[in-house]
Amino acid sequence: YYEHTHPFTELYTNDSFIFDVVATLAKPIRGVTFNIEISVSSGGLSDFIPIPRLEVEEGGKIDIKLNLTSVVNFLEAHAGLRQSLIEAQLSHPKHGTLEPFMTSYTQAQLQSGIIMYQHDHSDTHNDTIKVSVYLIPDYILLCNISLPIIIIPINDQPFKLLTDTPQISVVQGESYIITKKDLLTEDADTGPNEIVYDVISG
């Protein structure tokens, strides 16, 4: 692997190394240059952003706090930038809304917790907000991250017995495995492993 270790004062720089290729039964190839472009927007900055654990009850609301301080510190320490200004753009979640929803958010807004995620009360178990972080004023893309949201279900829907007339035919003395083809119940708020059938008569 290649690791960049030397600070630079611009947004971009480059590096390279020269290599030879040698094989026993072939003519060697010598002096090939491997070019490396180094940029603050080439990825890796997502490692400096702690991903918060977001859990919200079905239909509930939760504030989103995203700490970008380490990204700013890295840019100032390794890219020679001073008073770096960064903004982020957040995608529309599939099963909820962001309040207030704007085209972009400042670092102060992201770290203050004024951004709220409101779940739409659907019977979903997770959601995702995609975040793109930019260096302004030129809007240089620094990194993309995803914020996973865990939805805690509320048991507010009745279960349904989907088999109208549950019955089976068994040959005398034989056994028969009852499957969902013979007896099926569904509940939007409950997983299959948590639906229990109680036999109340032998």
Side-chain angles (χ1 to χ4, degrees):
Y1 65 90
Y2 170 87
E3 180 181 3
H4 175 247
T5 57
H6 292 73
F8 56 96
T9 58
E10 302 295 333
L11 296 178
Y12 306 95
T13 189
N14 55 64
D15 202 352
S16 64
F17 61 85
I18 299 172
F19 63 94
D20 297 335
V21 183
V22 180
T24 304
L25 301 176
K27 184 178 179 182
I29 302 173
R30 301 189 183 279
V32 181
T33 302
F34 191 101
N35 293 305
I36 302 165
E37 294 182 359
I38 303 163
S39 166
V40 297
S41 61
S42 292
L45 292 181
S46 58
D47 295 339
F48 293 94
I49 303 175
I51 305 299
R53 181 173 177 83
L54 300 174
E55 291 186 359
V56 62
E57 275 195 351
E58 177 184 321
K61 184 183 287 190
I62 188 173
D63 63 317
I64 298 172
K65 291 182 180 179
L66 198 57
N67 190 344
L68 302 175
T69 304
S70 294
V71 174
V72 172
N73 292 341
F74 177 85
L75 293 174
E76 293 180 352
H78 297 279
L81 301 177
R82 292 292 173 261
Q83 298 179 339
S84 303
L85 295 176
I86 55 178
E87 287 188 0
Q89 295 178 358
L90 277 63
S91 68
H92 287 279
K94 290 183 179 180
H95 307 296
T97 56
L98 294 177
E99 303 171 2
F101 187 80
M102 299 182 287
T103 54
S104 63
Y105 300 89
T106 65
Q107 179 183 352
Q109 290 171 325
L110 289 165
Q111 295 183 170
S112 66
I114 66 166
I115 306 169
M116 305 293 291
Y117 168 83
Q118 171 73 58
H119 184 244
D120 62 6
H121 221 301
S122 60
D123 291 315
T124 49
H125 298 283
N126 53 67
D127 206 348
T128 303
I129 299 171
K130 294 181 179 179
V131 182
S132 297
V133 181
Y134 294 90
L135 178 66
I136 57 174
D138 297 326
Y139 278 89
I140 298 171
L141 179 63
L142 299 176
C143 63
N144 291 312
I145 61 171
S146 294
L147 301 180
I149 301 173
I150 299 171
I151 313 298
I152 303 170
I154 298 176
N155 196 2
D156 57 354
Q157 298 289 337
F159 63 83
K160 296 178 182 177
L161 180 64
L162 299 184
T163 311
D164 293 332
T165 54
Q167 61 181 357
I168 58 173
S169 298
V170 186
V171 176
Q172 180 180 352
E174 295 292 322
S175 61
Y176 183 93
I177 297 174
I178 299 173
T179 68
K180 67 179 183 180
K181 293 180 181 178
D182 309 302
L183 183 61
L184 179 60
T185 304
E186 282 189 352
D187 184 357
D189 295 320
T190 308
N193 293 336
E194 297 174 329
I195 296 177
V196 179
Y197 296 86
D198 288 330
V199 179
I200 59 175
S201 65

